[in-house]
Amino acid sequence: MKNLPNLSRYLPILSWGKTYNQLSLTNDLVAAVIVTIMLIPQSLAYAMLAGLPPQMGLYASILPITLYAIFGTSRALAVGPVAVVSLLTAASISRIAAPGSEEYIFAAITLAFLSGVFLLAMGIFRLGFMANFLSHPVIAGFITASGIIIAASQLKNIFGIEAHGHNLVQILSSMSGYLGEINWITATIGILTAAFLFWVRKGLLPLLRGLGLPKRTAEIIAKTGPVAAIVATTLLVWAFDLKSAGVEIVGAVPQGLPPLTVPGFSLELWTSLLSSAVLISVIGFVESISVAQTLAAKKRQRIDPDQELIGLGAANIGAAFTSGFPVTGGFSRSVVNYDAGADTPAAGAYTAVGLMFASLFLTPLIFFLPKATLAATIIVAVLSLVDFSILGKAWRYSKADFIAVAATMFITLVVGVEVGVITGVLVSILIHLYKSSRPHIATVGQVPNSEHFRNVLRHDVITHPNILTVRVDESLYFANARFLEDHLFERVARRTELRDVILMCSAINAIDMSALESLEAINERLCDMGVSFHLSEIKGPVMDQLVDTDFLKHLTGEIFLSQKIAVDRLSQT
């Protein structure tokens, strides 16, 4: 029993399971019913988006969500196929196999395994911080561009024509050659279904509430919109034999539980998929942890990012051994799960039971389901992710962030999703390095009748002709140390009356070896110019590093606890 706290850290089910009661069971079962109804069409659609047989979408939603319930820390996150990860899966696998082929399916299973192993390793070694290299503006730009590509890729199914490509340019140019072959019956089904689903999202719930239905009942009915579309269009195709009129249908879907599978262990296959697996893992984790933390905050619950990595890793490994493909925590299904009243991750396990029932008994009913209906489901789902306002927000707040967002969106749309997100990461890192290599350096003076020192360009402050005080608003490291040198020497050269230079260190959190050498060079050159070099307000951890160096032994000036003490003493000498 003494080891139970440590064990529950890696098996969160041991924590929430101890307080599980009848009320939680009821809430979780209700949430599971609602989410299951939503996931049946969504899972089929996302499998199709990934270029895989539709049943694999159901398979990828059964064991993964159950494993996450055991290892994950979010009580509302619903794990399974999502639009962006499905698109990335299709983009990475189609390079090495033809969509729909046995090799393609095998590669998807292997990709899920590699993604799971990578996520699991990151969680075990507590490397969740690596996801921070993807900034929120870059993620927003990438998801917006991906949403546009996904929606465009489904237009071929809406219109019943051929099209291919992995970016917007390829898809649209490919589609333009087949516009004369549009199947208008298919197009009518697809367009009307999309219009209906858009109306369901915005207008059905207020209508039901206006009719006097209880909120919970109205919400449940509103969530069944996609299922209603599937039932109606399937019956339509069956009753009027629209298949003979060229309407493409899902066809026979195997009936039964997910078959056990074994991922590939070929070095050549792993080499081909490894970079994609890493990218899918990081993108999926960022999307998942964002949703999980947002929902947890509403109930004042805690999310452990490193344990989330373990939960998602286990989910993906589970998908690999049960005929699935890469999965992560989805925004729409998680929000529905939360809104439906899910109390614990057990709701996910109950959802898995519902999907098992669908896989066992309901798949024959979707034989005549038109692909245009699934395409409409995907389009309506992903267009809710498109947010062009991020461009305006980034432009107004930070031109550097705007460049990162715009570059990510443009490259994703024109070149492809993998290159797009890599571009976003690289641009973000380069912009960060550029900005930190040219830190803000302020000349400061004393605010009258106070002990505060502020920028001379922003405040009416007191300065002394023989003293120059500068504040660097950045940690000092190899990339910006020379910039500080050049700035100080230029300032001192223009003011021959200077006797003392004070480096105010209140914003410096670290000094690396290169920066230390620059401080030594500054000290020596100022000494040759007859100017003393002083430091003030050094933080404890930084001082701990400097104490064991020769820099302090050769410092021509002093170390001051505060800027006020430094100015008072030096102005009197």
Side-chain angles (χ1 to χ4, degrees), residues 39-241:
L39 286 189
I40 292 173
Q42 196 178 81
S43 299
L44 297 171
Y46 289 153
M48 186 176 75
L49 175 60
L52 295 163
Q55 69 270 15
M56 289 187 67
L58 293 175
Y59 298 162
S61 301
I62 296 176
L63 184 59
I65 197 171
T66 305
L67 289 172
Y68 179 83
I70 297 172
F71 295 101
T73 59
S74 172
R75 301 200 175 194
L77 192 70
V79 172
V82 300
V84 174
V85 170
S86 297
L87 177 66
L88 286 167
T89 298
S92 58
I93 301 175
S94 58
R95 297 195 307 260
I96 61 176
S101 65
E102 290 295 326
E103 293 79 9
Y104 189 92
I105 295 172
F106 185 64
I109 292 169
T110 304
L111 184 62
F113 178 75
L114 289 176
S115 178
V117 170
F118 181 74
L119 287 165
L120 199 60
M122 286 181 66
I124 292 173
F125 292 105
R126 308 187 71 79
L127 299 178
F129 69 90
M130 290 179 62
N132 295 334
F133 288 113
L134 284 172
S135 67
H136 177 265
V138 166
I139 285 292
F142 171 72
I143 290 178
T144 293
S146 298
I148 295 171
I149 292 175
I150 291 170
S153 71
Q154 295 308 302
L155 291 177
K156 64 181 182 181
N157 294 313
I158 292 288
F159 296 119
I161 59 177
E162 291 292 327
H164 58 271
H166 296 302
N167 59 58
L168 189 62
V169 176
Q170 292 176 349
I171 293 170
L172 294 182
S173 62
S174 171
M175 194 179 300
S176 64
Y178 295 94
L179 292 180
E181 302 177 13
I182 291 177
N183 185 303
W184 291 106
I185 297 177
T186 300
T188 301
I189 293 173
I191 293 171
L192 289 178
T193 301
F196 171 74
L197 292 176
F198 274 119
W199 174 77
V200 164
R201 276 180 169 252
K202 300 293 184 180
L204 183 56
L205 182 58
L207 175 63
L208 295 174
R209 293 287 288 150
L211 294 174
L213 267 67
K215 182 180 179 181
R216 176 61 68 89
T217 303
E219 288 176 345
I220 293 174
I221 295 175
K223 302 303 181 187
T224 63
V227 176
I230 284 178
V231 172
T233 55
T234 301
L235 289 174
L236 184 69
V237 172
W238 170 75
F240 293 96
D241 191 23

Side-chain angles (χ1 to χ4, degrees), residues 558-569:
E558 298 180 54
I559 304 291
F560 294 99
L561 182 63
S562 74
Q563 181 64 24
K564 177 70 164 54
I565 295 174
V567 171
D568 286 349
R569 184 176 303 175

